[in-house]
């Protein structure tokens, strides 16, 4: 239902979204709003943190020598050496020192699974409005980080601010402005539909989305308790209409726990090995199925409804996949080891999505067929 009217209406929105809200005192200047479901941020420290991590990772394994199990980030991102304005010798040394600190301490750790990195990312997001993190200028800006880490971030900050941040912040804001119309129009409906499917409730609070030039090798990741999404504004996989699907896929990580529990329960009852990633394939599949009808050519989704009440219509059946290919298909996830899962999902989960089966039956049947 990405109708022309919607597009026209929101032609005006991006400009408004580019201007931080004049809002309550606690409202971060990096936050956007008001949009339903999600709260978008383009925060300085979280972007710097991911940038240092990215450069440290590149230093550890340059693109020419990828290492198994330690993938090189698949993004075309400007690193500091590509900055439009050249760095002075002193800036170069300071930046390299901070990257070296990240290379020594974090590059071998996973942004998603490492607890220290998860806490650090959340902390940096919360301090996005501070100019420095030691508390030297403002007591409330003491982020409580280890002194050497504070030093690495505070030393890199002015260089990042001068040479890269403006471009990356602009890219983040452009990304939010691009996805905002669909979030505005369809966000509440999609969130309710997904919560119903997963037999749970969508969180009452808006889900914080930190938009960052670099996120991780997957282009986005989600941490829970608190539920927060980090998403790359520059990753090719997150652009255009796909941005909307990636957002809801990531958010689903936080709400689809009942599916994982049900799969585990059914496997235990049947003495079966719990399938790795079936749960993840299921949320990819589900988000794709729920989003796809909205992404067809303007009018198609509505026309489908009209045709449904006019059985004698001479119109050919609309092609639901004319213009939109779900993420997992587009990125070849099923082809790369999830082929069997796709069959299970099409056979046993799809009927549940079509209201022809119950949640419990669908999971039980999938697990039986494993
Ligand atoms: Zn995922």
């Amino acid at each position: 239902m990405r109708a022309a009217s919607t597009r026209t209406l929101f032609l005006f929105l991006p400009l408004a979204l580019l201007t931080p809200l004049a809002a309550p005192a606690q409202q971060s200047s990096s936050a956007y709003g008001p949009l339903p479901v999600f709260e978008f941020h383009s925060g300085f420290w979280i972007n710097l943190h991911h940038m240092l991590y990215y450069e440290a990772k590149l230093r550890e394994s340059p693109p020419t020598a990828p290492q198994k199990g330690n993938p090189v980030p698949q993004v075309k991102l400007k690193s500091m050496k590509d900055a439009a304005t050249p760095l002075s010798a002193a800036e170069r040394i300071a930046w390299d020192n901070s990257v070296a600190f990240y290379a020594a301490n974090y590059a071998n750790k996973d942004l998603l699974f490492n607890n220290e990195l998860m806490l650090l990312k959340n902390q940096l997001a919360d301090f996005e409005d501070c100019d420095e993190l030691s508390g030297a200028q403002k007591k409330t800006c003491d982020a409580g980080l280890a002194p050497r880490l504070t030093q690495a971030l505070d030393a890199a900050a002015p260089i990042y601010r001068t040479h890269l941040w403006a471009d990356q912040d602009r890219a983040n804001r452009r990304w939010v402005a691009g996805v905002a119309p669909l979030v505005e129009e369809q966000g509440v409906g999609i969130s309710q539909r997904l919560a119903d499917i997963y037999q749970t409730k969508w969180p009452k609070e808006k889900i914080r989305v930190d938009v960052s030039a670099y996120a991780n090798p997957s282009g986005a990741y989600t941490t829970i308790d608190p539920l927060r999404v980090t998403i790359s504004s520059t990753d090719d996989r997150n652009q255009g209409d796909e941005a909307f699907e990636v957002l809801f896929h990531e958010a689903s990580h936080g709400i689809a726990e009942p599916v994982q529990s049900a799969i585990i329960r059914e496997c235990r009852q049947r003495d079966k090995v719990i399938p790795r990633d079936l749960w993840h394939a299921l949320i990819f599949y589900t988000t794709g199925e729920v989003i796809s009808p909205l992404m067809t050519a303007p009018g198609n989704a509505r026309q489908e409804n009209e045709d449904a009440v006019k059985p004698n219509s001479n119109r050919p059946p609309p092609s639901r996949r004319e213009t939109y290919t779900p993420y997992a298909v587009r990125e070849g996830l099923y082809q790369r080891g999830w082929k069997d899962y796709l069959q299970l999902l099409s056979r046993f989960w799809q009927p549940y999505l079509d209201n022809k089966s119950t949640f419990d039956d669908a999971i039980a049947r999938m697990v039986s067929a494993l």
Side-chain angles (χ1 to χ4, degrees), residues 112 218 220-222 246 249-250 252-253 279-280 283-284 333 338:
L112 171 59
S218 306
Y221 67 101
T222 298
V246 173
H249 168 80
E250 288 304 321
S252 296
H253 274 267
W279 167 78
H280 200 201
I283 64 169
F284 266 115
L333 301 186
W338 285 1

Side-chain angles (χ1 to χ4, degrees), residues 289 292-293 295-296 300 304 317-324 350:
E289 285 300 309
S292 289
M295 303 300 194
T296 49
N300 266 11
E304 272 183 308
S319 165
R320 289 165 55 118
R321 293 289 185 277
E322 251 169 26
T323 57
Y324 190 75
Q350 184 63 48

Side-chain angles (χ1 to χ4, degrees), residues 10 13-14 16-18 21 27 31-41 172-188 191 202 204-209 211 244 247-248:
F10 285 102
L13 250 184
L17 284 160
L18 291 172
L21 280 188
Q27 174 85 49
Y32 302 83
L35 285 170
V37 187
F38 297 109
E39 178 189 292
F40 293 97
H41 292 249
N172 295 342
R173 286 163 191 263
R174 205 181 303 127
W175 188 90
V176 175
V179 79
L182 271 169
V183 171
E184 181 79 36
E185 193 199 48
Q186 304 290 346
V188 172
S191 63
W202 194 267
K204 276 203 192 92
E205 300 281 315
K206 288 183 190 179
I207 298 171
R208 178 177 176 127
V209 179
V211 187
F244 189 66
L247 261 183
F248 277 95

Side-chain angles (χ1 to χ4, degrees), residues 38-182:
F38 297 109
E39 178 189 292
F40 293 97
H41 292 249
S42 171
F44 176 81
W45 295 106
I46 204 167
N47 272 264
L48 170 59
H49 166 65
H50 282 90
M51 204 57 207
L52 289 170
Y53 180 91
Y54 170 72
E55 291 213 9
K57 203 87 183 154
L58 282 181
R59 184 179 289 195
E60 195 189 49
S61 57
T64 45
Q67 293 167 17
K68 223 180 173 190
N70 187 18
V72 175
Q74 298 298 314
V75 288
K76 294 174 217 123
L77 187 57
K78 266 190 186 173
S79 55
M80 195 55 89
K81 69 176 168 40
D82 311 310
T85 48
L87 274 66
S88 70
E91 284 178 324
R92 167 57 56 203
I93 291 166
W95 180 259
D96 283 350
N97 284 341
S98 294
V99 173
F101 180 82
Y102 265 66
N105 293 281
Y106 300 123
N108 62 343
K109 294 173 182 160
D110 192 289
L111 285 160
L112 171 59
F113 295 111
N114 181 271
N115 211 34
E116 184 189 357
L117 282 176
M118 187 186 85
L119 293 172
L120 174 55
K121 182 256 305 173
N122 287 344
Q123 187 75 342
L124 292 174
D126 291 340
F127 281 75
E128 64 191 1
D129 289 334
C130 286
D131 291 334
E132 47 86 36
L133 299 173
S134 70
Q137 289 170 25
K138 208 172 164 191
K139 261 212 150 68
T140 51
C141 283
D142 179 354
L145 306 175
R148 286 181 61 214
L149 171 59
T150 304
Q151 208 271 327
L153 287 163
D154 278 343
I159 303 156
Y160 180 59
R161 211 182 283 281
T162 304
H163 296 281
L164 277 184
W165 171 235
D167 271 0
Q168 298 194 339
D169 184 39
R170 207 174 300 122
N172 295 342
R173 286 163 191 263
R174 205 181 303 127
W175 188 90
V176 175
V179 79
L182 271 169

Side-chain angles (χ1 to χ4, degrees), residues 237 242 245-246 249 277 280-289 291-292 321 324-339 341-342 345:
R237 294 164 290 188
E242 286 79 15
E245 181 180 351
V246 173
H249 168 80
D277 289 341
H280 200 201
L282 184 147
I283 64 169
F284 266 115
Y285 181 90
T286 306
T287 317
E289 285 300 309
I291 300 284
S292 289
R321 293 289 185 277
Y324 190 75
T325 310
Y327 186 100
V329 176
R330 194 175 62 249
E331 299 302 331
L333 301 186
Y334 299 126
Q335 298 303 318
R336 292 202 302 270
W338 285 1
K339 238 179 182 164
Y341 290 166
L342 177 60
L345 292 162

